[in-house]
Amino acid sequence: MLGDAEIHALDGNLGTIIQQNQQHHTDLQNLLEKFRQLLDSYNNLKSDYEEEKEAREKYKRMARGQFKEHLVKAGSEGGVTAARLLHDSIRELIHDRLGSQADQCRIMVRIYANVLGLSKSLARSGFVGHEARSLAPFAASFTRAQDLFDFVDAGDKKEGADYKIREMFRLFADNNQCKHIFFAGCHDSGYSNLLTPYRGRTDRITLLKGAGFHSEYERLDLPVRELPSVFMSTSLGGNGSMISNHTASPSNTSRSICKHFQKGICRYGTACIKVHIPQGQQLSKSEDHTSSPPGRVSPTPTRNQDYYASNLVPNINPVWYDCIPTNSAGDRIDTYCPMPSHDAWDTYTRRAKIHKPCNKFHLGGDCGNVSCEYDHTRLDPSSLDVMKYILRQRPCQTGPSCRSLKCYLGHLCQKDGCRGTKPCKFNRYAHTLDLHIAGYISPLERRDPGPSPPSESSGEVYSADSNEEVPSMLGTYVF
């Protein structure tokens, strides 16, 4: 039998064990609570990381599906060119869909993006500089170029651009004044639920395809169009270089060319069984069995501003200053006329608002109207360049056969990426002329001292502040 001392000792040991167990339990509870907090923090960080990763990948996809490389790289000037090309391309699609009603429509474009995030993605691809918001000059110029065009910085919040796109779509989708919507947010499936209620509404909505086009949108039974002169049609490679699907390969040579793609209306995309190459480009020289008349060559792969800059002379050689340059077919060849700068446009616009310059006097060298209501005073060279550019966009009625030295209208199209279809006013041949000068011929003025050929009067041609009446009806909305 245990003695009293042993019993007291065991009782003290039991109390110590109980106390230790309680402390152990408390420590374990504290440890479990800290572990739970650690898991919560980890899950929150993981969620933030996934959101950031999703946003980054989204902007990468947006960067791959945005404007063509040479437009983005051109900065401010590229923004102006992109706006003009987009306007002309959409106008062409409207004509195909609405016919004569398209002339009463105005085009509104809304682009929403995180300019900071998009700038970073484009900088990594080498399209823009590495400064913060390096895409901003392009976006600002795009907005200024057309009255109803806006490139909006929606901020760096994940839902910023999405919210605005959805609300603007809903605003115009059921607006009877809006004749048609061209939706270009098809790089991921995020907007498929927005468009699902309009499935099959081909009279209302058209999808625009860029480098990225999610298969989810193919189930909506909506027409799909491409704008190859404006948007990239291929993705960026891992090294930031363009991977072109327009290059002919041995497997492509036996396949026919997709004419719908060249018109920008192929709805099958990469699933198309025909070869997608730009209009005028051929698979290979051996595949080209068509011949062209002497001096009249087939369309070039891409007649953009770089092509015209390298194939047209900026000025006539002073030796032949009073002669008409022609190619081997006898077609008149214009000098290169690039788009003027913003400052030049602003200077001309301010001058024209005060008193419109006379086209015949400043460009033709002679007005002949003693009661002319237009300005004959001296113009600065930049404003003269703007006038020359404006009038070169208007085709001469005589075309390449024109022999008047005083003619200041266009005899060939110099629009960047123009395919020779509506709304371009030049005929198709004016887009395919051989631009090489083969010789110079005497102008009409040397042979016949009579009046110069008819041309547009100063008040009727395109100008920076055209007086043409603008319809009030909202015609087309583009995201």
Side-chain angles (χ1 to χ4, degrees):
M1 182 173 245
L2 298 176
D4 291 340
E6 292 177 321
I7 292 175
H8 284 298
L10 290 174
D11 184 59
N13 292 337
L14 181 60
T16 301
I17 293 174
I18 293 174
Q19 185 178 4
Q20 291 177 346
N21 283 338
Q22 290 177 343
Q23 183 63 41
H24 176 71
H25 178 73
T26 301
D27 292 342
L28 181 60
Q29 289 298 113
N30 291 336
L31 180 62
L32 291 174
E33 178 63 22
K34 290 181 179 179
F35 183 68
R36 186 188 64 79
Q37 294 176 357
L38 181 63
L39 284 178
D40 289 342
S41 298
Y42 170 78
N43 288 329
N44 290 335
L45 288 174
K46 182 180 179 182
S47 177
D48 292 342
Y49 169 77
E50 292 296 335
E51 287 186 1
E52 180 65 24
K53 180 180 178 182
E54 180 182 353
R56 185 168 64 251
E57 292 301 321
K58 177 180 178 180
Y59 288 120
K60 284 182 180 179
R61 292 192 296 269
M62 289 176 65
R64 289 195 294 268
Q66 285 296 322
F67 297 98
K68 302 200 78 170
E69 178 181 0
H70 72 279
L71 297 176
V72 177
K73 285 185 175 181
S76 296
E77 297 298 327
V80 174
T81 305
R84 177 175 57 80
L85 290 175
L86 182 57
H87 182 277
D88 291 346
S89 299
I90 293 298
R91 176 68 68 184
E92 181 180 335
L93 294 180
I94 299 173
H95 270 282
D96 293 341
R97 178 168 293 278
L98 302 180
S100 60
Q101 294 183 10
D103 296 332
Q104 301 177 356
C105 296
R106 301 181 70 189
I107 300 173
M108 177 184 292
V109 174
R110 290 291 184 272
I111 298 177
Y112 298 98
N114 174 3
V115 173
L116 180 61
L118 195 55
S119 297
K120 292 180 180 178
S121 296
L122 291 170
R124 283 193 289 268
S125 300
F127 283 12
V128 295
H130 290 275
E131 309 86 6
R133 301 174 58 81
S134 51
L135 186 63
F138 176 93
S141 297
F142 181 90
T143 299
R144 290 196 302 266
Q146 300 284 339
D147 292 340
L148 296 179
F149 280 31
D150 286 298
F151 195 119
V152 181
D153 184 2
D156 58 356
K157 298 297 183 182
K158 177 180 181 293
E159 68 281 0
D162 291 346
Y163 176 79
K164 287 185 173 294
I165 291 174
R166 292 176 184 275
E167 291 304 309
M168 290 299 291
F169 178 86
R170 295 188 181 104
L171 176 65
F172 285 92
D174 299 317
N175 188 333
N176 291 331
Q177 284 187 308
C178 178
K179 296 302 181 185
H180 204 78
I181 295 177
F182 294 86
F183 189 87
C186 305
H187 52 279
D188 60 29
S189 61
Y191 301 109
S192 60
N193 59 342
L194 176 68
L195 297 172
T196 298
Y198 300 90
R199 180 174 182 175
R201 291 292 305 274
T202 58
D203 62 319
R204 193 70 180 150
I205 299 171
T206 294
L207 304 180
L208 295 182
K209 177 184 176 182
F213 189 84
H214 200 278
S215 59
E216 192 73 22
Y217 295 95
E218 297 176 356
R219 307 173 184 175
L220 298 178
D221 297 328
L222 294 173
V224 180
R225 300 292 183 264
E226 292 182 324
L227 303 181
S229 65
V230 185
F231 298 121
M232 296 179 186
S233 57
T234 54
S235 300
L236 296 177
N239 59 356
S241 60
M242 294 296 295
I243 301 176
S244 175
N245 63 356
H246 296 155
T247 304
S249 62
S251 60
N252 287 336
T253 56
S254 61
R255 297 161 56 193
S256 58
I257 299 174
C258 179
K259 300 299 183 182
H260 292 89
F261 171 80
Q262 295 182 340
K263 295 179 181 178
I265 58 174
C266 180
R267 64 176 300 175
Y268 298 105
T270 56
C272 184
I273 61 174
K274 298 183 179 181
V275 182
H276 283 189
I277 64 173
Q279 185 173 8
Q281 181 173 327
Q282 300 172 350
L283 292 179
S284 65
K285 292 184 178 179
S286 61
E287 294 294 318
D288 181 18
H289 300 291
T290 60
S291 58
S292 301
R296 302 191 179 188
V297 298
S298 300
T300 55
T302 52
R303 286 199 168 183
N304 52 25
Q305 285 301 303
D306 292 337
Y307 179 86
Y308 290 116
S310 59
N311 287 275
L312 291 175
V313 297
N315 297 290
I316 299 297
N317 189 317
V319 177
W320 303 103
Y321 190 75
D322 293 332
C323 296
I324 305 292
T326 60
N327 60 18
S328 59
D331 299 319
R332 179 170 180 163
I333 304 300
D334 292 331
T335 55
Y336 177 57
C337 190
M339 175 175 285
S341 65
H342 286 300
D343 293 339
W345 278 102
D346 292 340
T347 301
Y348 172 78
T349 301
R350 289 193 298 268
R351 173 69 177 272
K353 285 182 178 179
I354 299 173
H355 194 179
K356 281 189 177 181
C358 176
N359 296 333
K360 291 184 178 180
F361 179 83
H362 292 287
L363 298 178
D366 179 24
C367 177
N369 184 1
V370 293
S371 60
C372 181
E373 60 180 299
Y374 300 105
D375 189 5
H376 287 194
T377 59
R378 182 183 177 277
L379 281 179
D380 60 277
S382 64
S383 295
L384 202 59
D385 289 340
V386 173
M387 289 186 65
K388 185 183 298 183
Y389 177 83
I390 292 173
L391 272 300
R392 284 288 179 85
Q393 304 300 310
R394 196 70 174 252
C396 171
Q397 294 182 358
T398 310
S401 301
C402 176
R403 297 295 182 260
S404 173
L405 196 62
K406 296 181 179 180
C407 183
Y408 42 77
L409 301 178
H411 305 92
L412 58 92
C413 181
Q414 296 189 39
K415 293 179 182 178
D416 190 19
C418 184
R419 300 198 301 267
T421 54
K422 292 181 179 179
C424 183
K425 292 180 170 56
F426 287 89
N427 59 31
R428 283 196 174 268
Y429 182 59
H431 298 77
T432 62
L433 292 181
D434 175 11
L435 305 184
H436 175 70
I437 297 177
Y440 294 82
I441 62 176
S442 298
L444 184 66
E445 288 79 4
R446 287 187 182 178
R447 309 174 215 166
D448 182 4
S452 60
S455 58
E456 303 289 344
S457 65
S458 294
E460 297 174 338
V461 299
Y462 291 140
S463 63
D465 55 337
S466 175
N467 290 328
E468 294 180 5
E469 181 180 358
V470 179
S472 59
M473 179 174 62
L474 176 64
T476 304
Y477 188 84
V478 185
F479 287 93

